[in-house]
Amino acid sequence: MTAQIIDGKAFSARIREKVAQEVARLKSDAGLTPGLAVVLVGEDPASQVYVRNKGRQTKEAGMLSVEHRLPENTTQSALVELIGRLNGDPDIHGILVQLPLPDHMDSDAVINAIDPGKDVDGFHISNVGLLGTGQKAMVPCTPLGCLLMLRDYHGSLSGLEAVVVGRSNIVGKPMAQLLLGENCTVTLAHSRTRDLPEVVRRADIVVAAVGRPQMVPGDWIKPGATVIDVGINRVPRDDGKSRLVGDVDFGTAAEVAGAITPVPGGVGPMTIACLLANTVTACCRANGLPEPEGLTV
Ligand code: GUN
């Protein structure tokens, strides 16, 4: 068997198109322009690339994009003060503080200073609690993107066995909550899980989010399963350059799976698309307007 490829690049383009339509509708019907503020502290090169891409795609969708770049030695209280100003700014509907923050900052305290209604990352403790109790939350972008792809491919996920590998706050834990909300039977596996291959072999849906290059081989995959690969790992090539690989060994897994996301071009492009979607959702909620369908859960 050769798996169907779930094309995250094409799917994310459809999401961004829908976001742009909703932005146009908000402008014409309500005189509102959704606004996203991104805060970057320090000079981390990877973060700079992400922030640039976020700003570009925000503008392309017709939204207001505001960037705040602060020096590495910014104090936590100065950062929290900026967040307070953004919380009170009616033109800003979404606030994203790029992680990781410098070591002298307490990331949890900084994230929890964001107004939960503007927390488009879904990392604020209130949003974590709302998601965990099945209430309306801001949902973290990467797991939201994975779920939208799974829904698009499967329709109903009810009753399916889902195994999430990796228990991070950003992906693994919220992904497990979302799948539970879809009535999957969910296992949240991790580095200490006993007999991980056997656990993964039970799954109709595998979400790999461990950050270990090609850790999940094809012979862990149940024939016909759907595989969502969240990993983006840079590994050296024979010619001295590097290439991107996921947490799944794509070559062997694609022989067995029913459907699989590639790396690059799978989950990656969905994350920023969902950030834009969350900003539109936050703008609608803040103004008591109905939320667009298909952009959130
Ligand atoms: N750094 C890497 N991924 C993310 C993300 O999803 N949100 C934020 N704020 N920072 C990140």
Side-chain angles (χ1 to χ4, degrees):
M1 190 195 301
T2 304
Q4 179 177 326
I5 304 297
I6 299 178
D7 184 347
K9 207 170 157 200
F11 191 59
S12 67
R14 296 214 301 276
I15 300 277
R16 280 182 281 122
E17 179 58 32
K18 193 165 163 67
V19 166
Q21 283 168 9
E22 292 298 333
V23 170
R25 190 180 57 83
L26 283 166
K27 281 183 183 170
S28 66
D29 294 3
L32 285 166
T33 301
L36 173 66
V38 174
V39 181
L40 173 61
V41 185
E43 310 285 333
D44 180 61
S47 292
Q48 287 182 338
V49 174
Y50 289 135
V51 167
R52 206 164 37 242
N53 287 336
K54 284 168 188 165
R56 179 174 51 77
Q57 294 191 30
T58 305
K59 284 181 218 144
E60 279 170 8
M63 296 196 271
L64 169 69
S65 166
V66 177
E67 273 177 33
H68 291 270
R69 290 168 182 264
L70 306 177
E72 180 86 21
N73 63 0
T74 301
T75 62
Q76 183 169 319
S77 61
L79 175 58
V80 168
E81 206 174 286
L82 168 63
I83 291 169
R85 284 204 300 279
L86 296 169
N87 285 342
D89 184 340
D91 293 335
I92 296 298
H93 305 94
I95 302 169
L96 180 145
V97 176
Q98 184 68 30
L99 301 176
L101 285 168
D103 289 343
H104 66 276
M105 293 201 190
D106 172 353
S107 299
D108 289 333
V110 170
I111 296 303
N112 289 329
I114 299 172
D115 175 344
K118 296 191 177 189
D119 168 36
V120 282
D121 259 330
F123 295 165
H124 189 289
I125 191 74
S126 296
N127 283 313
V128 175
L130 290 167
L131 180 64
T133 50
Q135 301 179 71
K136 203 178 267 297
M138 293 305 303
V139 178
C141 303
T142 300
L144 176 58
C146 295
L147 186 66
L148 294 178
M149 287 196 288
L150 283 167
R151 277 184 176 174
D152 185 63
Y153 178 73
H154 277 274
S156 170
L157 305 176
S158 187
L160 296 178
E161 284 275 351
V163 174
V164 179
V165 190
R167 55 178 156 180
S168 70
N169 290 337
I170 293 183
V171 184
K173 286 181 197 164
M175 188 76 241
Q177 299 284 7
L178 286 171
L179 290 165
L180 205 50
E182 301 292 307
N183 300 316
C184 290
T185 302
V186 181
T187 303
L188 184 46
H190 48 78
S191 56
R192 306 285 172 88
T193 296
R194 220 182 309 146
D195 207 356
L196 185 59
E198 271 314 306
V199 171
V200 175
R201 277 186 202 112
R202 289 204 298 260
D204 303 304
I205 294 170
V206 180
V207 180
V210 272
R212 294 243 229 127
Q214 298 170 303
M215 190 191 115
V216 178
D219 69 359
W220 291 16
I221 306 294
K222 176 160 102 175
T226 302
V227 178
I228 305 291
D229 189 351
V230 181
I232 301 178
N233 309 289
R234 197 166 276 288
V235 295
R237 269 191 339 199
D238 293 343
D239 63 3
K241 295 186 178 156
S242 67
R243 68 189 177 110
L244 291 181
V245 298
D247 291 348
V248 175
D249 181 39
F250 183 86
T252 55
E255 296 283 311
V256 189
I260 187 168
T261 59
V263 177
V267 174
M270 289 298 291
T271 298
I272 296 185
C274 288
L275 174 67
L276 306 182
N278 275 350
T279 306
V280 168
T281 300
C283 178
C284 291
R285 287 182 187 169
N287 290 281
L289 297 168
E291 291 167 31
E293 272 177 34
L295 294 184
T296 191
V297 289

